[in-house]
Amino acid sequence: MRVLHTVCAVLALISIAAPAWSQAAAPERLSARDLQHWLTSVQKPGKPGAGVSAIGGNDSCQHANDMECDEPGVGTGACPAGTDRSDCWRIMSGEEDNSCQWAHDGECDEPRLGTGVCTQGTDLADCGDLSGLRFRTDACDLAFNGVCDEPGEGTGRCEARTDRSDCAGRERPMSFDDHFFGRDDRVLLDTGEAPWSRIGTVSMDAGGTCTATLIGPDILLTAAHCIEGEQGRVNARGTFETGFDRQEGPVRARVIDYLTDPGRAAAVGTEQDDPLDWALLRLDRRLGDTVGWLGVRTLTRDLGRRAGLEERIYQAGYSWDTGENLSGNTDCRVVEIYADTTFAHECDTTQGDSGSPFLIEDEGDWFVIGSDSTYRRVETGPVINIAVGAEAWVDRLEAFASGEAGANATRPMGGGKPGVTGARKPGG
């Protein structure tokens, strides 16, 4: 299954301390649970008045009154026509207004375009210039090819509203949902080819999907918050799938064990949880023997700080807005390396990218240096994207891969343990 909501219900906001930041630039701490509590406690604008009478329908859809229009044609399409009136009537009638209490604050607060604390159509002053991007995605297989392929204004080879970057441009606002640095520089990646065939989706039985990467024949790397519920309880049962573009078809396996930092449960929601947002997962099948797996290198031990900041890095994930396609960055940089094993980066990421890998290439071999975790808002600049470096977990990888560590701590039968830091090509 490749419907890409991140688990993370979330926005992938597991936040952490960053002693390297100065007092003046201290980041605002917004954990996923903090944000959810904040959003649900917001006083929503009252029911719309006179304008509603001109729009028929009701609020019978299960997604009604969630601040986002979900009717087809004008919204997400998650609700049948006429069943999400309160969220959609302003957009349908052309009577968008500034009834949200945060209108005129200089920041777009509508879902998808901004913070999401205002119902769509109620922050016209701050979101009006961005409304053309509303409900548009790059889910078409031809997205990012430089040609508008939507019907009407383009070739018609894509469905309406699914070729956003080629038809509406790549300039993007920074928001809670989308962390683009002024421009969306992502491309689509071929999951029938290495290294992209080793990056897939892990769909949790409890709901939600994140990106995960093979770093051993049967070992995955993802984010810890991807396997946690709202109360921080771990439920790692799920299915991993990858190689969607392979001629032979995708491969899949079930998650049967996991390893997270033993201190994470006590640290979630505190200033110490950033470097603990990693998880290693064990599969019931050695998919790496078919598609290969990625090696591991660390920014500080293997590359060194200076080289790490200069290295060209790649990132790939199953973003919410690119449909079933793997999207990613092929030329971005690490911008800061912190003492707590996390690093800040400039790659364009969004929901669904939680757990996605950051890679470097060395003479044709590919190595994971970290995984996508969260972001920080700072007073003196734009949002800073944060990843957990491989230093946080690499010393535990061998024990987990051999079956000596993990929630079940059961040594797998046969096969031996994979190499810890060496990449493996299928059939090699």
Side-chain angles (χ1 to χ4, degrees):
M1 126 62 174
R2 297 163 64 188
V3 178
L4 305 172
H5 314 43
T6 113
V7 118
C8 334
V10 263
L11 317 177
L13 294 175
I14 308 211
S15 104
I16 40 186
W21 289 98
S22 67
Q23 185 69 25
E28 178 180 349
R29 269 184 62 66
L30 288 173
S31 72
R33 282 180 287 279
D34 290 341
L35 183 59
Q36 183 179 33
H37 175 75
W38 179 44
L39 292 178
T40 56
S41 65
V42 165
Q43 179 63 44
K44 293 173 58 177
K47 289 286 185 181
V52 170
S53 61
I55 301 297
N58 53 48
D59 288 326
S60 59
C61 179
Q62 61 177 322
H63 304 296
N65 294 303
D66 66 354
M67 299 186 177
E68 179 173 56
C69 177
D70 292 302
E71 295 196 16
V74 294
T76 67
C79 294
T83 63
D84 191 16
R85 182 179 65 173
S86 293
D87 293 329
C88 299
W89 75 269
R90 293 176 179 84
I91 297 172
M92 296 172 68
S93 66
E95 298 181 29
E96 298 186 40
D97 57 38
N98 291 303
S99 57
C100 179
Q101 60 182 301
W102 290 287
H104 298 288
D105 69 352
E107 180 177 44
C108 178
D109 292 302
E110 294 185 12
R112 295 300 179 194
L113 300 179
T115 64
V117 296
C118 293
T119 299
Q120 279 170 341
T122 66
D123 191 12
L124 179 63
D126 299 321
C127 303
D129 292 341
L130 307 175
S131 59
L133 297 176
R134 187 185 283 147
F135 306 120
R136 300 184 71 171
T137 71
D138 287 302
C140 179
D141 292 344
L142 300 174
F144 305 125
N145 69 353
V147 177
C148 179
D149 290 304
E150 292 185 7
E153 56 183 314
T155 68
R157 294 183 295 173
C158 294
E159 295 183 8
R161 304 191 299 176
T162 65
D163 194 17
R164 175 183 58 185
S165 292
D166 295 327
C167 298
R170 287 179 175 255
E171 296 306 309
R172 296 283 179 270
M174 184 73 71
S175 74
F176 275 176
D177 289 338
D178 301 316
H179 310 156
F180 303 134
F181 293 89
R183 174 183 164 85
D184 182 359
D185 291 311
R186 294 175 300 165
V187 298
L188 298 186
L189 301 165
D190 184 356
T191 59
E193 303 290 338
W196 318 120
S197 58
R198 303 160 191 179
I199 302 168
T201 61
V202 58
S203 302
M204 311 313 300
D205 292 356
T209 302
C210 280
T211 302
T213 307
L214 280 163
I215 56 171
D218 56 353
I219 303 299
L220 298 177
L221 168 68
T222 191
H225 71 258
C226 291
I227 62 173
E228 294 171 346
E230 293 181 9
Q231 305 302 319
R233 296 188 182 91
V234 173
N235 183 347
R237 291 187 292 273
T239 300
F240 175 72
E241 190 172 13
T242 191
F244 302 106
D245 297 327
R246 295 176 69 243
Q247 186 175 3
E248 305 88 339
V251 294
R252 62 185 60 85
R254 291 285 296 172
V255 177
I256 58 173
D257 197 6
Y258 72 92
L259 178 69
T260 57
D261 191 287
R264 177 163 174 81
V268 170
T270 73
E271 296 184 354
Q272 286 75 47
D273 65 356
D274 255 15
L276 310 183
D277 190 22
W278 58 268
L280 302 179
L281 308 179
R282 192 191 321 282
L283 301 175
D284 65 353
R285 296 180 54 210
R286 291 171 59 94
L287 299 185
D289 290 340
T290 301
V291 298
W293 63 84
L294 298 174
V296 177
R297 285 189 179 172
T298 61
L299 281 175
T300 54
R301 301 184 202 174
D302 296 323
L303 298 180
R305 178 182 176 82
R306 177 176 296 181
L309 293 172
E310 296 174 352
E311 188 78 33
R312 175 181 179 176
I313 62 172
Y314 301 74
Q315 177 274 336
Y318 286 88
S319 307
W320 76 269
D321 59 349
T322 55
E324 298 181 345
N325 300 303
L326 180 68
S327 64
N329 299 259
T330 59
D331 188 9
C332 48
R333 297 291 184 275
V334 172
V335 297
E336 185 59 271
I337 301 172
Y338 303 111
D340 66 358
T341 74
T342 64
F343 60 87
H345 63 89
E346 62 176 9
C347 304
D348 295 316
T349 55
T350 183
Q351 292 188 52
D353 286 317
S354 289
S356 64
F358 295 88
L359 314 177
I360 60 171
E361 184 267 337
D362 184 7
E363 298 183 351
D365 290 324
W366 293 84
F367 301 89
V368 175
I369 61 169
S371 54
D372 194 40
S373 173
T374 185
Y375 71 88
R376 298 181 185 135
R377 302 182 69 196
V378 295
E379 297 178 0
T380 57
V383 167
I384 299 297
N385 287 339
I386 299 295
V388 180
E391 291 91 336
W393 46 264
V394 69
D395 292 338
R396 296 181 171 94
L397 176 57
E398 183 173 349
F400 182 66
S402 68
E404 296 174 1
N408 297 328
T410 302
R411 184 183 297 276
M413 297 298 292
K417 68 184 180 184
V420 174
T421 58
R424 169 71 179 272
K425 296 180 175 62

